[in-house]
Amino acid sequence: MNQHRFDTAIHLEPVDGEPSLLRGHTTEDYWNMVGPFGGTTAATLLNAVMRHPERQGEPVALTVNYAGPLAAGEFEIEVHTARTNRTNQHWTLVQRQGEEVVTTATAVTAMRRDTWTDTEAERPEALSPDRYQRYPAIDGINWSGSYDIRFVEGEIPGPDAGTAPASRTTLWVRDEPPRPLDYCALASMTDCFYPRPFLRHGTYLPAGTVSLTIHFLADQHELEREADAHILGTAFPRRFGRSYYDQTSELWTADGQLLAAAHQTVYFKV
Amino acid sequence: MNQHRFDTAIHLEPVDGEPSLLRGHTTEDYWNMVGPFGGTTAATLLNAVMRHPERQGEPVALTVNYAGPLAAGEFEIEVHTARTNRTNQHWTLVQRQGEEVVTTATAVTAMRRDTWTDTEAERPEALSPDRYQRYPAIDGINWSGSYDIRFVEGEIPGPDAGTAPASRTTLWVRDEPPRPLDYCALASMTDCFYPRPFLRHGTYLPAGTVSLTIHFLADQHELEREADAHILGTAFPRRFGRSYYDQTSELWTADGQLLAAAHQTVYFKV
């Protein structure tokens, strides 16, 4: 069986057998307009932690700062444990192409234990995924063909959309072709929402994430239980102004488990 | 005039005149139960960026990872520019006591320009701050005496509170004594909410932030306009489970400007 295209995209090899210095390369399947899809980059950085022989526990937090454009081709990731505690571990990462830093990142992994559990957030309303049509892959945005995305509300504005008073998007998403859910896939999916100003203005505009933080709220067993089911995502901004806006996204299971919440700040021009 | 206690708490001196290696020390005024108030630590790390001679622009994002306990006394902060672009700059920071890493952090600063602006989030409802009583400083939690906090909803549960079905807290906050608002003060205030499980369970429980991300949504002029007015803060969790929960907080001006949104993941035990 061939490796799934997502696993190819996030694949890393140790440089000279050193688990803290890894080499990877961008792929066509997750290419965005002028670089790789930011979700895949976040997943690749997380993968550098997940495959590290000293890792303890599961990811609870990941922050990725997109410092500069990533060109097609090879890159290196340096990953270090800043501190290992009894129940959690702190990681710092840098991704480079040649001498140039392209992303910086930090991560926290932790040994989770059984505790009291409750969800205060509410799953957005949606019918089952088969009640919506798969959105067609978009020419020149390859990664859109590597996901099965079905818009529930706030879909990409058409040519006559005009302006909108608000910009929440809710959608079903899964890997295309289907692939069992894991933390790397989940990390990538938190970034699968097109920029909010497109919806507000009814048109494409320059926009790019500068910093993305993901809080993982589910343990490994919950992810495994999802297998390759569609995940319900929702995203909304709080404030646009002076070149930046923020976006929060949530990823839910069909039966109402909140798997992750992510928060990004995005450069835009309008 | 004496320096404000907050400026003393976040004060940093270059080590051997080197602006990328700074020394500071914890203060009694912002002490929490077993270490300094996490908000002050975030503010101190941000201050290392703000005072750096190579800084360009205003902060748009800050992530602080609380890797280990900070003891009373001196600490050192190393701050580096990972990359400087035309309109933004990426920073990495490490705070140490002796050889031990106590926090890691990343920050993004940016030159903001005039753009289209809009706020989709809604300011929580509250009467003016003079309609609420200042919450008394709490014995053994010094930092609570360095803020004027007035609860609007979700105040610290009393001894007979019992459990609560949800845990949003809304409050007015300003520095005590009053101090003009700036990015460091704002960063600190994003963390002024007591842990959400206290409210749910009606009692004190072990809890501590492991990672805090702040997105700054206001520019310098908006902060200056606030001077030392009370800021309206609101905080809520999404999901508690398996030793961690997440919290989002927002800080608003009285007249409805959203200044910052912050997102943290918190260890808890119950």
Side-chain angles (χ1 to χ4, degrees), chain B residues 13-22 51-52 77 79-80:
Chain B
E13 286 285 344
V15 177
D16 302 329
E18 168 54 70
S20 296
L21 184 61
L22 302 157
R51 70 189 304 295
H52 200 285
I77 293 175
V79 51
H80 292 291

Side-chain angles (χ1 to χ4, degrees), chain A residues 65 210-211 239 241-246 265-266, chain B residues 42-43 45-52 55-64 87-91 93 106-113 181-188 190 213-224 258-261:
Chain A
N65 302 290
V210 297
S211 187
R239 184 179 178 187
R242 307 249 316 138
S243 314
Y244 289 87
Y245 74 94
D246 69 321
T265 181
V266 186
Chain B
L45 287 155
L46 181 59
N47 194 29
V49 174
M50 297 306 285
R51 70 189 304 295
H52 200 285
R55 174 177 60 90
Q56 293 176 10
E58 298 166 357
V60 297
L62 172 71
T63 292
V64 178
T87 65
N88 67 36
Q89 209 170 16
H90 287 256
W91 300 86
L93 301 99
T106 61
V108 182
T109 55
M111 317 287 267
R112 287 171 173 265
R113 281 154 208 220
L181 190 65
D182 59 17
Y183 285 108
C184 290
L186 190 66
S188 188
T190 68
T213 290
I214 304 170
H215 292 154
F216 299 96
L217 301 170
D219 66 18
Q220 180 71 39
H221 297 296
E222 288 182 80
L223 301 193
E224 285 168 8
L258 180 57
L259 301 177

Side-chain angles (χ1 to χ4, degrees), chain B residues 162-173:
Chain B
T163 60
S167 55
R168 181 185 284 265
T169 286
T170 301
L171 51 75
W172 289 103
V173 59

Side-chain angles (χ1 to χ4, degrees), chain A residues 80-84 90-92, chain B residues 67 94 100-101 104:
Chain A
H80 292 291
T81 50
R83 181 159 171 154
T84 300
H90 288 257
W91 300 84
T92 59
Chain B
V94 183
E100 200 91 81
V101 171
T104 66

Side-chain angles (χ1 to χ4, degrees), chain A residues 45-53 55 57-59 109 183-184 220:
Chain A
L45 287 156
L46 181 59
N47 194 30
V49 174
M50 297 307 285
R51 70 189 306 294
H52 199 284
R55 174 177 59 88
E58 299 166 355
T109 55
Y183 285 109
C184 290
Q220 180 72 38

Side-chain angles (χ1 to χ4, degrees), chain A residues 60-61 63 65-69 82-83 85 87-88 90 92 100-102 104 106 108 110-121 165-168 197 200-201 210-211 213 215 217-219 222 236-246 248 250 257-259 261 263-265 267-268 270, chain B residues 60-61 63 65-69 82-83 85 87-88 90 92 100-102 104 106 108 110-121 165-168 197 200-201 210-211 213 215 217-219 222 236-246 248 250 257-259 261 263-265 267-268 270:
Chain A
V60 296
T63 291
N65 302 290
Y66 299 88
R83 181 159 171 154
N85 296 312
T87 64
N88 69 35
H90 288 257
T92 59
E100 199 91 80
V101 171
V102 288
T104 66
T106 61
V108 182
M111 317 287 268
R112 287 171 174 266
R113 279 152 210 221
D114 283 336
T115 56
W116 167 73
T117 176
D118 189 56
T119 301
E120 289 194 25
S167 56
R168 181 184 284 265
R200 292 299 305 275
H201 292 271
V210 297
S211 187
T213 291
H215 292 154
L217 302 170
D219 67 17
E222 288 182 80
F236 59 89
R238 285 180 187 77
R239 184 179 178 187
F240 306 88
R242 307 249 316 138
S243 314
Y244 289 87
Y245 74 94
D246 69 321
T248 285
E250 297 172 355
Q257 295 301 310
L258 180 56
L259 301 177
H263 313 282
Q264 53 180 270
T265 181
Y267 170 82
F268 75 100
V270 51
Chain B
V60 297
T63 292
N65 303 289
Y66 300 88
R83 181 159 173 155
N85 296 314
T87 65
N88 67 36
H90 287 256
T92 59
E100 200 91 81
V101 171
V102 288
T104 66
T106 61
V108 182
M111 317 287 267
R112 287 171 173 265
R113 281 154 208 220
D114 282 335
T115 56
W116 167 73
T117 177
D118 188 56
T119 300
E120 288 194 25
S167 55
R168 181 185 284 265
R200 293 299 305 275
H201 292 271
V210 298
S211 186
T213 290
H215 292 154
L217 301 170
D219 66 18
E222 288 182 80
F236 59 90
R238 286 182 186 76
R239 186 181 178 185
F240 305 88
R242 306 247 318 133
S243 315
Y244 289 88
Y245 74 93
D246 69 320
T248 285
E250 297 172 356
Q257 295 301 310
L258 180 57
L259 301 177
H263 313 282
Q264 53 181 270
T265 181
Y267 170 82
F268 75 101
V270 51

Side-chain angles (χ1 to χ4, degrees), chain A residues 157-190:
Chain A
D160 306 317
T163 59
S167 56
R168 181 184 284 265
T169 286
T170 302
L171 51 76
W172 289 102
V173 59
R174 71 158 168 71
D175 284 305
E176 179 59 37
R179 174 185 177 280
L181 191 64
D182 58 17
Y183 285 109
C184 290
L186 190 67
S188 187
M189 286 176 190
T190 68

